Amino acid sequence: MQCIADLHIHTVASGHAYSTVREIAAVAADKGLKLIAITDHGPKMPGGPHPYHFGNLAAVPDYISGVRVLKGMEANVIDREGTLDLEEQRLARLNIVLAGLHTVCSPHGSVAENTAMMIRAMQNPWVDAIVHPGNPEYPVDYEKVVQAAVEYDVALEINNSSLTISRKGSQPNCEQIAALMKQYGAKLIIGSDSHYCETVGEFTAALALIAKYNFPPEQILNSSMEQIAAHLRRRKYRVI
């Protein structure tokens, strides 16, 4: 299966990534991607951008090097209520919102507490996907998370970086999540979680994992532009 888009990419604005938007778009074009999402971390991440950064993303062109550029963020979940680290008026102006649990931003808890926190984040009307849900630092009840993703129409990510260079120990968790997603018909995104331009569109490990479960292409959002647009536009008040 071919992914035509990378929906999880970081620029220098995240504070711990190393490429510009232009560099990322050029690599994406060289690799044949049709669409990228710029999803820098929210402001609670150490070194992360000020909220004004997200308000000014309109300055970024919609197309660079022939590649469609979505302006988004990877929001940090900052409390057990699932609160994100950007106010709703700014979230509403973004093309795509990812949300994730991160050690320096999100409280650690029991499986029940972590599961409730992740599900509450899904209930935010602007959240389009939960990223790296298999992170072993935040154990959750995977079945409840997948069922909630279906209920709230939020995608779950299989994160290539989690299977290669970060969040060690994610592989068996991601296997469980993938099996449950196939069982319940949850929407899936494959993300590079790129922090350097040359890894944009790198999905090798994630694709190998999901190949075991024979997902139909229509369940994988970044297999077509139409599916990405349909998912993001399910919020009728969002403009893409």
Side-chain angles (χ1 to χ4, degrees):
M1 195 213 77
Q2 181 181 11
C3 291
I4 53 83
D6 192 342
L7 299 175
H8 188 171
I9 302 171
H10 296 275
T11 77
V12 289
S14 281
H16 58 274
Y18 306 97
S19 301
T20 66
V21 176
R22 179 175 289 278
E23 290 167 338
I24 288 164
V27 171
D30 288 344
K31 292 186 177 183
L33 294 178
K34 296 181 179 180
L35 180 148
I36 56 175
I38 300 303
T39 54
D40 284 307
H41 283 286
K44 292 296 184 182
M45 179 65 66
H50 190 278
Y52 288 176
H53 167 86
F54 299 100
N56 197 45
L57 281 172
V60 178
D62 290 338
Y63 288 86
I64 303 175
S65 299
V67 177
R68 176 74 169 98
V69 181
L70 297 184
K71 295 81 176 268
M73 74 176 300
E74 181 184 4
N76 301 294
V77 179
I78 59 173
D79 59 31
R80 297 206 188 284
E81 298 306 311
T83 306
L84 305 185
D85 59 341
L86 197 68
E87 61 269 31
E88 289 209 0
Q89 65 180 12
R90 294 190 190 278
L91 292 174
R93 296 176 61 186
L94 299 176
N95 299 140
I96 183 170
V97 176
L98 313 179
L101 309 183
H102 297 96
T103 300
V104 294
C105 304
S106 312
H108 290 85
S110 66
V111 169
E113 288 171 329
N114 294 339
T115 300
M117 179 166 56
M118 189 175 285
I119 291 173
R120 286 169 184 150
M122 291 183 201
Q123 294 169 345
N124 184 302
W126 299 109
V127 170
D128 298 300
I130 298 293
V131 291
H132 44 73
N135 183 356
E137 295 182 18
Y138 289 93
V140 297
D141 183 320
Y142 299 121
E143 187 160 24
K144 288 183 178 179
V145 163
V146 171
Q147 289 173 328
V150 173
E151 179 180 356
Y152 297 111
D153 200 9
V154 171
L156 296 175
E157 180 194 47
I158 298 297
N159 185 294
N160 198 80
S161 181
S162 293
L163 303 173
T164 53
I165 64 171
S166 61
R167 293 176 287 276
K168 298 300 182 183
S170 293
Q171 178 88 29
N173 302 339
C174 292
E175 297 269 4
Q176 291 182 56
I177 292 167
L180 289 163
M181 291 178 74
K182 177 64 182 297
Q183 177 183 343
Y184 287 102
K187 292 178 179 177
L188 164 69
I189 66 169
I190 299 168
S192 70
D193 199 358
S194 174
H195 286 66
Y196 177 64
C197 61
E198 295 300 332
T199 59
V200 169
E202 178 49 60
F203 306 127
T204 304
L207 287 173
L209 188 154
I210 68 164
K212 303 174 185 179
Y213 301 96
N214 297 312
F215 281 91
E218 58 269 21
Q219 202 171 336
I220 304 170
L221 292 184
N222 42 331
S223 66
S224 80
M225 296 285 278
E226 293 75 19
Q227 286 173 186
I228 294 168
H231 180 67
L232 298 180
R233 287 178 178 146
R234 75 202 189 289
R235 315 300 193 200
K236 63 182 179 180
Y237 34 75
R238 170 177 274 140
V239 176
I240 301 299

